[in-house]
Amino acid sequence: FMNSIYDRCSIRKFKQESLKKSEIDKILRAAFCAPSAKNAQPWFFIVTEDKEKLKELSEFSPYAKLLADAALGIVVCADTDCNPSLDYCQQDCAAATQNMLIEAKELNIGSCWLGGYPNEDRVQTLKMYFKLPQNIVPLWMVAFGYPDQKQEPKDKFKESKIRYE
């Protein structure tokens, strides 16, 4: 078993410690290993460790308050110059995001995926905050940090959601 897949869960409370540069690099490298349509790799990442920015960004969504205490926030964006289909970009960026979450778990770093797209208010808030060009569409953010809570993973397997033919 790949324990990090089975043991990963969302963490919403973080210790006030910075992540190591080598850990951040591993998380980002994992994102780039994701599959993408036509290998277009339409992802673009904005990484911030700045505590003031993280506090400001914690307002981009009613569910993003935990960013204020995170060690790191990554905005996952779609670059529509790589693939003009935002639908395919979203799928590709979701795969990259999942890779980051799993790598973070491997490193004993907590994470929480914070939805943005398709909520236009959240997308526009991030787009204006970072002064992004037209082709860069912020999809969501991910908070990272050393966990300051014990979270037990749930067994989410449901045989009823599988159909064998």
Side-chain angles (χ1 to χ4, degrees):
F1 286 127
M2 269 186 75
N3 289 335
S4 292
I5 288 176
Y6 294 99
D7 293 344
R8 192 216 63 78
C9 53
S10 294
I11 299 296
R12 293 177 173 82
K13 291 183 182 174
F14 303 104
K15 294 178 182 174
Q16 295 303 298
E17 296 176 42
S18 298
L19 299 183
K20 297 177 184 87
K21 173 81 168 93
S22 62
E23 293 170 326
I24 298 167
D25 289 345
K26 286 178 182 177
I27 290 168
L28 289 165
R29 284 183 173 279
F32 281 84
C33 292
S36 67
K38 297 182 182 179
N39 198 31
Q41 302 177 28
W43 38 71
F44 183 84
F45 304 104
I46 302 169
V47 181
T48 186
E49 297 177 87
D50 181 275
K51 293 308 270 178
E52 189 56 39
K53 285 184 180 179
L54 288 169
K55 185 177 178 185
E56 291 169 1
L57 289 165
S58 74
E59 300 296 323
F60 98 94
S61 158
Y63 308 102
K65 302 294 183 220
L66 59 101
L67 270 172
D69 293 320
L72 174 76
I74 297 179
V75 184
V76 179
C77 303
D79 182 348
T80 57
D81 282 352
C82 295
N83 186 338
S85 168
L86 193 55
D87 288 340
Y88 281 116
C89 287
Q90 182 181 359
Q91 293 172 41
D92 296 347
C93 289
T97 300
Q98 180 69 16
N99 280 9
M100 288 193 291
L101 299 174
I102 294 168
E103 182 61 21
K105 180 62 182 174
E106 278 289 310
L107 299 168
N108 295 313
I109 294 169
S111 62
C112 190
W113 187 335
L114 305 166
Y117 183 86
N119 184 305
E120 195 59 33
D121 289 345
R122 295 177 196 171
V123 171
Q124 286 308 312
T125 296
L126 292 171
K127 194 164 188 65
M128 291 185 334
Y129 186 87
F130 291 104
K131 299 174 179 66
L132 299 175
Q134 188 66 31
N135 64 302
I136 303 295
V137 180
L139 298 173
W140 46 75
M141 285 193 73
V142 184
F144 295 94
Y146 298 114
D148 196 19
Q149 70 179 109
K150 180 71 176 150
Q151 188 77 354
E152 292 298 323
K154 300 172 184 98
D155 182 358
K156 299 177 185 180
F157 184 80
K158 291 186 175 69
E159 186 78 31
S160 64
K161 294 189 177 240
I162 301 170
R163 177 175 160 173
Y164 294 97
E165 292 280 336

mmCIF file of all heavy atoms in Angstrom, residues 6-29:
data_model
loop_
_atom_site.group_PDB
_atom_site.id
_atom_site.type_symbol
_atom_site.label_atom_id
_atom_site.label_comp_id
_atom_site.label_asym_id
_atom_site.label_seq_id
_atom_site.Cartn_x
_atom_site.Cartn_y
_atom_site.Cartn_z
ATOM 1 N N TYR A 6 -3.616 6.531 1.603
ATOM 2 C CA TYR A 6 -4.637 6.070 2.539
ATOM 3 C C TYR A 6 -4.664 6.898 3.825
ATOM 4 O O TYR A 6 -5.707 6.991 4.472
ATOM 5 C CB TYR A 6 -4.418 4.591 2.866
ATOM 6 C CG TYR A 6 -4.625 3.715 1.663
ATOM 7 C CD1 TYR A 6 -3.550 3.260 0.918
ATOM 8 C CD2 TYR A 6 -5.906 3.367 1.246
ATOM 9 C CE1 TYR A 6 -3.740 2.472 -0.205
ATOM 10 C CE2 TYR A 6 -6.110 2.582 0.120
ATOM 11 C CZ TYR A 6 -5.017 2.144 -0.600
ATOM 12 O OH TYR A 6 -5.220 1.376 -1.708
ATOM 13 N N ASP A 7 -3.542 7.479 4.198
ATOM 14 C CA ASP A 7 -3.450 8.214 5.462
ATOM 15 C C ASP A 7 -3.657 9.718 5.322
ATOM 16 O O ASP A 7 -3.779 10.416 6.319
ATOM 17 C CB ASP A 7 -2.072 7.979 6.104
ATOM 18 C CG ASP A 7 -1.883 6.546 6.540
ATOM 19 O OD1 ASP A 7 -2.886 5.811 6.642
ATOM 20 O OD2 ASP A 7 -0.721 6.147 6.758
ATOM 21 N N ARG A 8 -3.667 10.230 4.096
ATOM 22 C CA ARG A 8 -3.791 11.669 3.885
ATOM 23 C C ARG A 8 -5.175 12.157 4.309
ATOM 24 O O ARG A 8 -6.175 11.519 4.049
ATOM 25 C CB ARG A 8 -3.565 11.997 2.396
ATOM 26 C CG ARG A 8 -3.392 13.488 2.156
ATOM 27 C CD ARG A 8 -4.007 13.947 0.854
ATOM 28 N NE ARG A 8 -5.443 13.766 0.791
ATOM 29 C CZ ARG A 8 -6.333 14.565 1.374
ATOM 30 N NH1 ARG A 8 -5.962 15.621 2.073
ATOM 31 N NH2 ARG A 8 -7.619 14.314 1.257
ATOM 32 N N CYS A 9 -5.203 13.281 4.985
ATOM 33 C CA CYS A 9 -6.469 13.931 5.320
ATOM 34 C C CYS A 9 -6.201 15.431 5.448
ATOM 35 O O CYS A 9 -5.059 15.856 5.556
ATOM 36 C CB CYS A 9 -7.078 13.359 6.599
ATOM 37 S SG CYS A 9 -5.988 13.333 8.013
ATOM 38 N N SER A 10 -7.253 16.200 5.393
ATOM 39 C CA SER A 10 -7.095 17.658 5.474
ATOM 40 C C SER A 10 -6.708 18.076 6.882
ATOM 41 O O SER A 10 -7.290 17.614 7.860
ATOM 42 C CB SER A 10 -8.397 18.355 5.062
ATOM 43 O OG SER A 10 -8.662 18.108 3.702
ATOM 44 N N ILE A 11 -5.722 18.953 6.946
ATOM 45 C CA ILE A 11 -5.249 19.516 8.218
ATOM 46 C C ILE A 11 -5.582 21.001 8.207
ATOM 47 O O ILE A 11 -5.295 21.703 7.237
ATOM 48 C CB ILE A 11 -3.730 19.292 8.390
ATOM 49 C CG1 ILE A 11 -3.394 17.798 8.417
ATOM 50 C CG2 ILE A 11 -3.201 20.012 9.627
ATOM 51 C CD1 ILE A 11 -3.980 17.034 9.597
ATOM 52 N N ARG A 12 -6.194 21.460 9.286
ATOM 53 C CA ARG A 12 -6.635 22.858 9.355
ATOM 54 C C ARG A 12 -5.976 23.654 10.482
ATOM 55 O O ARG A 12 -6.266 24.821 10.649
ATOM 56 C CB ARG A 12 -8.155 22.899 9.475
ATOM 57 C CG ARG A 12 -8.843 22.401 8.216
ATOM 58 C CD ARG A 12 -10.363 22.378 8.345
ATOM 59 N NE ARG A 12 -10.978 22.053 7.076
ATOM 60 C CZ ARG A 12 -11.121 20.818 6.598
ATOM 61 N NH1 ARG A 12 -10.680 19.782 7.291
ATOM 62 N NH2 ARG A 12 -11.694 20.607 5.425
ATOM 63 N N LYS A 13 -5.079 23.009 11.230
ATOM 64 C CA LYS A 13 -4.344 23.702 12.295
ATOM 65 C C LYS A 13 -2.865 23.381 12.111
ATOM 66 O O LYS A 13 -2.483 22.211 12.012
ATOM 67 C CB LYS A 13 -4.825 23.253 13.671
ATOM 68 C CG LYS A 13 -6.237 23.710 13.984
ATOM 69 C CD LYS A 13 -6.649 23.311 15.371
ATOM 70 C CE LYS A 13 -8.100 23.754 15.603
ATOM 71 N NZ LYS A 13 -8.619 23.282 16.870
ATOM 72 N N PHE A 14 -2.068 24.446 12.088
ATOM 73 C CA PHE A 14 -0.646 24.302 11.798
ATOM 74 C C PHE A 14 0.215 24.898 12.908
ATOM 75 O O PHE A 14 -0.158 25.891 13.532
ATOM 76 C CB PHE A 14 -0.302 25.020 10.486
ATOM 77 C CG PHE A 14 -1.101 24.541 9.315
ATOM 78 C CD1 PHE A 14 -2.153 25.300 8.824
ATOM 79 C CD2 PHE A 14 -0.809 23.338 8.694
ATOM 80 C CE1 PHE A 14 -2.905 24.868 7.730
ATOM 81 C CE2 PHE A 14 -1.547 22.893 7.606
ATOM 82 C CZ PHE A 14 -2.592 23.662 7.115
ATOM 83 N N LYS A 15 1.387 24.289 13.100
ATOM 84 C CA LYS A 15 2.387 24.852 14.000
ATOM 85 C C LYS A 15 2.984 26.094 13.347
ATOM 86 O O LYS A 15 3.012 26.205 12.129
ATOM 87 C CB LYS A 15 3.496 23.829 14.271
ATOM 88 C CG LYS A 15 3.015 22.620 15.035
ATOM 89 C CD LYS A 15 4.136 21.620 15.242
ATOM 90 C CE LYS A 15 3.614 20.399 15.976
ATOM 91 N NZ LYS A 15 4.646 19.348 16.079
ATOM 92 N N GLN A 16 3.483 26.984 14.156
ATOM 93 C CA GLN A 16 4.074 28.218 13.649
ATOM 94 C C GLN A 16 5.549 28.011 13.326
ATOM 95 O O GLN A 16 6.430 28.608 13.946
ATOM 96 C CB GLN A 16 3.855 29.362 14.634
ATOM 97 C CG GLN A 16 2.398 29.737 14.807
ATOM 98 C CD GLN A 16 1.748 30.109 13.494
ATOM 99 O OE1 GLN A 16 2.149 31.059 12.838
ATOM 100 N NE2 GLN A 16 0.741 29.349 13.082
ATOM 101 N N GLU A 17 5.805 27.144 12.360
ATOM 102 C CA GLU A 17 7.161 26.849 11.900
ATOM 103 C C GLU A 17 7.195 26.937 10.386
ATOM 104 O O GLU A 17 6.262 26.489 9.720
ATOM 105 C CB GLU A 17 7.585 25.424 12.290
ATOM 106 C CG GLU A 17 7.691 25.158 13.762
ATOM 107 C CD GLU A 17 8.021 23.688 14.024
ATOM 108 O OE1 GLU A 17 8.866 23.120 13.310
ATOM 109 O OE2 GLU A 17 7.402 23.118 14.947
ATOM 110 N N SER A 18 8.269 27.461 9.860
ATOM 111 C CA SER A 18 8.447 27.528 8.410
ATOM 112 C C SER A 18 8.831 26.152 7.874
ATOM 113 O O SER A 18 9.484 25.366 8.555
ATOM 114 C CB SER A 18 9.555 28.520 8.048
ATOM 115 O OG SER A 18 9.206 29.810 8.467
ATOM 116 N N LEU A 19 8.416 25.889 6.657
ATOM 117 C CA LEU A 19 8.835 24.665 5.982
ATOM 118 C C LEU A 19 10.249 24.852 5.449
ATOM 119 O O LEU A 19 10.684 25.976 5.183
ATOM 120 C CB LEU A 19 7.895 24.339 4.820
ATOM 121 C CG LEU A 19 6.424 24.104 5.172
ATOM 122 C CD1 LEU A 19 5.640 23.723 3.919
ATOM 123 C CD2 LEU A 19 6.267 23.043 6.239
ATOM 124 N N LYS A 20 10.959 23.760 5.289
ATOM 125 C CA LYS A 20 12.300 23.807 4.714
ATOM 126 C C LYS A 20 12.192 23.998 3.206
ATOM 127 O O LYS A 20 11.266 23.493 2.566
ATOM 128 C CB LYS A 20 13.053 22.508 5.010
ATOM 129 C CG LYS A 20 13.290 22.246 6.480
ATOM 130 C CD LYS A 20 13.971 20.889 6.683
ATOM 131 C CE LYS A 20 14.116 20.567 8.144
ATOM 132 N NZ LYS A 20 12.939 19.911 8.704
ATOM 133 N N LYS A 21 13.145 24.724 2.637
ATOM 134 C CA LYS A 21 13.177 24.949 1.188
ATOM 135 C C LYS A 21 13.169 23.616 0.437
ATOM 136 O O LYS A 21 12.471 23.467 -0.567
ATOM 137 C CB LYS A 21 14.420 25.771 0.825
ATOM 138 C CG LYS A 21 14.665 25.930 -0.661
ATOM 139 C CD LYS A 21 13.823 27.029 -1.253
ATOM 140 C CE LYS A 21 14.265 27.398 -2.652
ATOM 141 N NZ LYS A 21 13.571 26.710 -3.709
ATOM 142 N N SER A 22 13.906 22.630 0.935
ATOM 143 C CA SER A 22 13.958 21.318 0.269
ATOM 144 C C SER A 22 12.584 20.645 0.273
ATOM 145 O O SER A 22 12.233 19.950 -0.687
ATOM 146 C CB SER A 22 14.998 20.416 0.940
ATOM 147 O OG SER A 22 14.662 20.169 2.295
ATOM 148 N N GLU A 23 11.786 20.852 1.320
ATOM 149 C CA GLU A 23 10.439 20.274 1.384
ATOM 150 C C GLU A 23 9.514 20.952 0.378
ATOM 151 O O GLU A 23 8.732 20.284 -0.317
ATOM 152 C CB GLU A 23 9.871 20.409 2.796
ATOM 153 C CG GLU A 23 10.602 19.573 3.820
ATOM 154 C CD GLU A 23 10.194 19.886 5.248
ATOM 155 O OE1 GLU A 23 9.874 21.066 5.562
ATOM 156 O OE2 GLU A 23 10.207 18.949 6.057
ATOM 157 N N ILE A 24 9.611 22.264 0.294
ATOM 158 C CA ILE A 24 8.794 23.011 -0.668
ATOM 159 C C ILE A 24 9.138 22.564 -2.090
ATOM 160 O O ILE A 24 8.246 22.335 -2.915
ATOM 161 C CB ILE A 24 8.990 24.532 -0.493
ATOM 162 C CG1 ILE A 24 8.530 24.959 0.904
ATOM 163 C CG2 ILE A 24 8.242 25.305 -1.581
ATOM 164 C CD1 ILE A 24 8.956 26.360 1.303
ATOM 165 N N ASP A 25 10.421 22.412 -2.367
ATOM 166 C CA ASP A 25 10.852 21.955 -3.692
ATOM 167 C C ASP A 25 10.285 20.572 -4.017
ATOM 168 O O ASP A 25 9.824 20.326 -5.140
ATOM 169 C CB ASP A 25 12.375 21.924 -3.799
ATOM 170 C CG ASP A 25 12.994 23.312 -3.843
ATOM 171 O OD1 ASP A 25 12.266 24.299 -4.083
ATOM 172 O OD2 ASP A 25 14.224 23.415 -3.627
ATOM 173 N N LYS A 26 10.296 19.668 -3.045
ATOM 174 C CA LYS A 26 9.764 18.318 -3.277
ATOM 175 C C LYS A 26 8.263 18.353 -3.564
ATOM 176 O O LYS A 26 7.768 17.627 -4.427
ATOM 177 C CB LYS A 26 10.056 17.410 -2.078
ATOM 178 C CG LYS A 26 11.499 16.981 -1.993
ATOM 179 C CD LYS A 26 11.746 16.119 -0.763
ATOM 180 C CE LYS A 26 13.220 15.740 -0.677
ATOM 181 N NZ LYS A 26 13.525 14.966 0.536
ATOM 182 N N ILE A 27 7.555 19.184 -2.840
ATOM 183 C CA ILE A 27 6.110 19.318 -3.058
ATOM 184 C C ILE A 27 5.844 19.833 -4.473
ATOM 185 O O ILE A 27 4.993 19.303 -5.193
ATOM 186 C CB ILE A 27 5.475 20.230 -1.982
ATOM 187 C CG1 ILE A 27 5.485 19.510 -0.625
ATOM 188 C CG2 ILE A 27 4.067 20.659 -2.377
ATOM 189 C CD1 ILE A 27 5.158 20.394 0.560
ATOM 190 N N LEU A 28 6.577 20.854 -4.888
ATOM 191 C CA LEU A 28 6.392 21.416 -6.234
ATOM 192 C C LEU A 28 6.828 20.433 -7.317
ATOM 193 O O LEU A 28 6.157 20.301 -8.344
ATOM 194 C CB LEU A 28 7.135 22.742 -6.359
ATOM 195 C CG LEU A 28 6.511 23.885 -5.554
ATOM 196 C CD1 LEU A 28 7.482 25.049 -5.436
ATOM 197 C CD2 LEU A 28 5.191 24.320 -6.163
ATOM 198 N N ARG A 29 7.919 19.725 -7.100
ATOM 199 C CA ARG A 29 8.380 18.736 -8.079
ATOM 200 C C ARG A 29 7.332 17.638 -8.274
ATOM 201 O O ARG A 29 7.119 17.153 -9.372
ATOM 202 C CB ARG A 29 9.717 18.129 -7.661
ATOM 203 C CG ARG A 29 10.878 19.063 -7.888
ATOM 204 C CD ARG A 29 12.213 18.407 -7.521
ATOM 205 N NE ARG A 29 13.300 19.269 -7.907
ATOM 206 C CZ ARG A 29 13.797 19.360 -9.140
ATOM 207 N NH1 ARG A 29 13.293 18.635 -10.106
ATOM 208 N NH2 ARG A 29 14.788 20.182 -9.406
#
